[in-house]
Amino acid sequence: MVPVPRRKTGGEPEPDHAKALAGFGRYAGPATLILASLADGGKHGYALTKDIESFAGVRLAPGTLYEALARLQTQGLIEPVESQDRRRPYRLTAVGAVTLQAHLDAQRRVADIGLRRLAGNWGLT
């Protein structure tokens, strides 16, 4: 169940989990990609890299990937899964799913505004 967004002054909703990725700074992009990949099911590092490359056209360097995985795990957004070999798979937690949804909803609002402004002022669609 997704919590009902609180209202900020000015009438804009402020979801409880919307700020979770804000503290990631330059890792917010990789964190978003990792969470989106794990939304499809658990994966280890190499599988994450290949999946992200396939849907986003971005190749995360190993240092970037594993730093973001550590941060996501510390925040409770992902968790490791038992493995029979040396690879360490991760899966999205319920908190991670709600956080990803709030973050993507916020990004969608920004993208929608940008696209409307481009269409209105530049004739681009």
Side-chain angles (χ1 to χ4, degrees), residues 3-87:
V4 176
R6 295 184 313 233
R7 294 268 175 202
K8 296 190 304 190
T9 315
E12 289 298 315
E14 183 179 309
D16 293 333
H17 301 329
K19 297 178 189 170
L21 294 182
F24 277 82
R26 66 187 175 117
Y27 290 102
T32 302
L33 295 171
I34 291 166
L35 293 174
S37 179
L38 292 176
D40 191 38
K43 296 176 187 71
H44 56 77
Y46 181 74
L48 279 165
T49 300
K50 295 316 259 176
D51 185 47
I52 291 166
E53 199 170 358
S54 74
F55 76 77
V58 174
R59 179 151 174 76
L60 295 180
T64 301
L65 175 70
Y66 290 103
E67 176 69 21
L69 285 170
R71 288 173 183 240
L72 291 167
Q73 187 176 351
T74 298
Q75 278 199 313
L77 304 179
I78 65 170
E79 62 190 6
V81 179
E82 286 267 338
S83 176
Q84 305 297 37
D85 58 21
R86 64 183 186 88
R87 294 181 284 191

Side-chain angles (χ1 to χ4, degrees), residues 95-120:
V95 172
V98 172
T99 299
L100 177 62
Q101 181 179 16
H103 181 69
L104 293 176
D105 284 344
Q107 293 302 306
R108 182 184 319 190
R109 284 190 299 276
V110 170
D112 288 346
I113 289 168
L115 290 169
R116 276 195 308 272
R117 289 177 179 179
L118 283 170

